[in-house]
Each structure stands twice: as structure tokens, then as C-alpha cells.
Amino acid sequence: MDAVAARTARVAALKAQVDARLDALCPPSGGRLTAAMHYALSTPGKRLRPLLLLLTAAQLGQSAETALDAACAVEMVHAASLVLDDLPCMDDAAVRRGQPSTHARFGQDVAVLAGVALLNQAYALLARAGHLPAEVRLAMVEALSGAVGLEGLVAGQALDLHEPVASLAGLREAHHRKTGVLFMAAVTLGGLIGGASLTELLALERFAAELGLAFQARDDVSDAGEVQPDYGAARTTLISLLGHEGAVQEADGRLTSSKRALVAGGPRLEPLCAYVDLLMGERRVAEAAS
Ligand code: GRG
């Protein structure tokens, strides 16, 4: 097996561990609310955030088992954000991950409760990770709740709904809050579990912030080739601000910067560079998993 195939197989195996643990942590039995939570978690997502966490922790010498519940906590926050984002009062999306969105399947009332419950279960999972020192658990809760709150997803969503962006700086800020902050929390949790130094933690944050911008830039580029939902007034995107070529350059540049940040973080982090393209190119991972 060559190195690329080995990495692809490793990522697919980690993803399968995340899927199985989420299934165990949030089984479908118990009623309509737990069924909705299970549904929101089990629709086919790429599991990018837990993979970032697990690969970071592994790079710092920790097993997948040690970091698995923290990885699931991050995915629960992500799933909660998608459930809430899809609601009619937010982005009003009937389909998520190729399937009916959670409110389309279970009703809005249950979807709101499922999102809130997933969020709380995520923090509880971190607090209860008794195999990790209390100060690590506390730092993890602080990092993850910070990524959700007034400096993260919630604030980003409020801006998205009520203050449409028009400038490049504004769009980057929105992209950062939508994606970068949770990527940052994922690698920070991996770093905390792995006992990263301050220099390594800062490098990981920089890496994830750049990766988040690359991810969103790629999203704008690929969305531009698809039929878009009718949002009324046209949305500002990297394509509308920079043109197609400019948006592609932005994506490539951010990806390069993300790898540079890892290199700057030192020899323990540098090997993560080899996984960046793999994580950004979902197809090979999905194929290896099937
Ligand atoms: C209280 C958690 C919480 C959130 C409230 C609704 C909201 C505020 C925020 C939503 C922000 C949002 C929808 C961000 C989108 C992020 C994003 C890039 C989603 C797609 O990520 P992928 O491609 O998705 O990793 P999969 O489906 O593969 O997991």
C-alpha cells in the first residue's frame, strides 16, 4: 500500500470509529426527541471536525480511544448547528446531506429541542471524560463553548441573518465564524488532549483558521457551478467579489497558508500537512469507507 492509500485507509478507519461511537452515545431508541438527535448525527456527514481532532491528538501521541468522545462532542455541536441553521426561521432548508432536514422529518418543535439537547450533550461529554485531567476537561469546555457563543457560530449566524456582508473583509469574517471557529476548536481540543505546547496550540489555531477559509472558498467555487436556492437578493460570495479565478486562488492560497502554519508549529505537527488535501477532498475518503 502506498503512503496516500495508507493515509486514506487510516482516515476512513477513524471516521468509522466516530460513526460507531456517535451511534452508541446517541442511539435512536427512547422516543421522538432521541430519534431526531440520532437522525441529525447519523445522516452522512464527512466528519471533518472529529477527524481534525483525532489526527491532531494522534500526532501528539494519543490514541483514538483517548480522544474519541471529545471528537464526538465537536460533531454534536456541528450537527446541532446544522439542525438549527436549516429551520424555516434561519436558512429554511428542506434537505441536508441529501436527506430531509431534521425539522422536515420530525417537525420544528422537535428539531429545536434536538439541537439544544445535542449541544448540551456535547459539553456533558467533555466534562465527563474522566480519563483526562480535570484541567484539560475544563479547557476543552471553554474552547468548545467559545466556538459556539458570542465569538463563534451564534454570533456568525446573527450577522448572516441581519447584517448582509458586502466587503471581502466582512465575507472572510462570516466564513471564519461559520467554519473556522469550529475547526479551531477541534484542533485545540486535540492539542489539549495531546499536551501541546503553547507554540503548538497557536500554530494549530492558525492552521485551522486558514483551513476554514480555504474550505469556505472552495465551497463558494463549487456552489457557483450549481443551481442555487432563491434567497431573494443575490448573496455576496467570493465569486461575486473576486470572480471565479480569484476565488480559486483564494482557496489555494489559504490551503498553502494552513500547511505553512503546521510547519511553523514544529516537527510534531508538520506531518499533519499530508492529511490536509485528503481531508479537503472528501471523495477519496468516502470511497475508502464504502
Ligand atoms: C447553537 C451550535 C449552535 C448554532 C447556532 C445556526 C447557527 C447558530 C449556526 C450555523 C452555522 C452554519 C450553518 C455553518 C455552516 C458550516 C458548514 C461549513 C457546514 C457544512 O460543513 P461540512 O461540509 O458538512 O463539513 P457535513 O455535512 O459533511 O458535516
Side-chain angles (χ1 to χ4, degrees):
M1 198 189 290
D2 70 14
V4 174
R7 282 195 292 272
T8 305
R10 180 175 178 221
V11 167
L14 289 173
K15 182 175 180 293
Q17 273 183 278
V18 171
D19 288 342
R21 184 66 183 146
L22 284 171
D23 224 43
L25 286 167
C26 200
S29 54
R32 199 168 168 79
L33 176 60
T34 45
M37 292 165 71
H38 176 82
Y39 181 78
L41 283 172
S42 63
T43 45
K46 297 182 287 296
R47 311 298 193 207
L48 274 178
R49 295 149 192 84
L51 287 170
L52 282 169
L53 189 156
L54 292 175
L55 288 168
T56 302
Q59 203 48 49
L60 298 170
Q62 296 299 323
S63 68
E65 288 70 26
T66 304
L68 196 53
D69 279 7
C72 289
V74 175
E75 185 66 12
M76 284 178 182
V77 167
H78 173 57
S81 79
L82 300 182
V83 170
L84 298 175
D85 185 53
D86 289 340
L87 290 169
C89 61
M90 300 268 181
D91 222 20
D92 195 8
V95 175
R96 168 67 63 183
R97 295 172 168 170
Q99 297 185 17
S101 49
T102 305
H103 71 271
R105 179 81 179 257
F106 292 89
Q108 286 189 58
D109 48 358
V110 176
V112 169
L113 294 174
V116 173
L118 281 169
L119 198 58
N120 282 284
Q121 191 162 335
Y123 300 135
L125 207 50
L126 294 180
R128 285 194 205 119
H131 59 292
L132 297 171
E135 62 270 21
V136 169
R137 285 182 268 153
L138 189 62
M140 291 198 302
V141 172
E142 188 185 9
L144 192 57
S145 58
V148 172
L150 289 178
E151 284 165 24
L153 290 168
V154 169
Q157 185 78 352
L159 284 177
D160 207 32
L161 290 171
H162 297 293
E163 290 171 48
V165 289
S167 69
L168 190 54
L171 187 60
R172 284 189 180 131
E173 182 60 27
H175 283 174
H176 178 66
R177 293 198 184 206
K178 263 186 149 177
T179 303
V181 288
L182 204 47
F183 281 10
M184 284 167 76
V187 297
T188 297
L189 266 55
L192 289 168
I193 292 168
S197 68
L198 186 59
T199 306
E200 287 171 331
L201 285 172
L202 291 173
L204 284 167
E205 282 190 352
R206 179 79 204 270
F207 156 66
E210 293 293 327
L211 193 68
L213 290 174
F215 181 91
Q216 286 287 160
R218 282 201 170 180
D219 215 38
D220 275 6
V221 171
S222 62
D223 279 357
E226 292 170 9
V227 178
Q228 291 299 294
D230 183 7
Y231 293 117
R235 281 192 162 188
T236 303
T237 67
L238 281 177
I239 305 281
S240 68
L241 290 172
L242 300 176
H244 184 270
E245 195 50 39
V248 171
Q249 277 175 18
E250 167 86 6
D252 291 349
R254 294 289 173 183
L255 215 54
T256 304
S257 303
S258 75
K259 293 178 193 170
R260 280 208 193 106
L262 288 174
V263 174
R268 297 210 301 170
L269 298 183
E270 194 268 333
L272 277 175
C273 287
Y275 287 89
V276 170
D277 293 326
L278 178 55
L279 291 175
M280 288 291 108
E282 62 184 271
R283 200 167 297 125
R284 278 184 298 168
V285 177
E287 279 168 4
S290 63

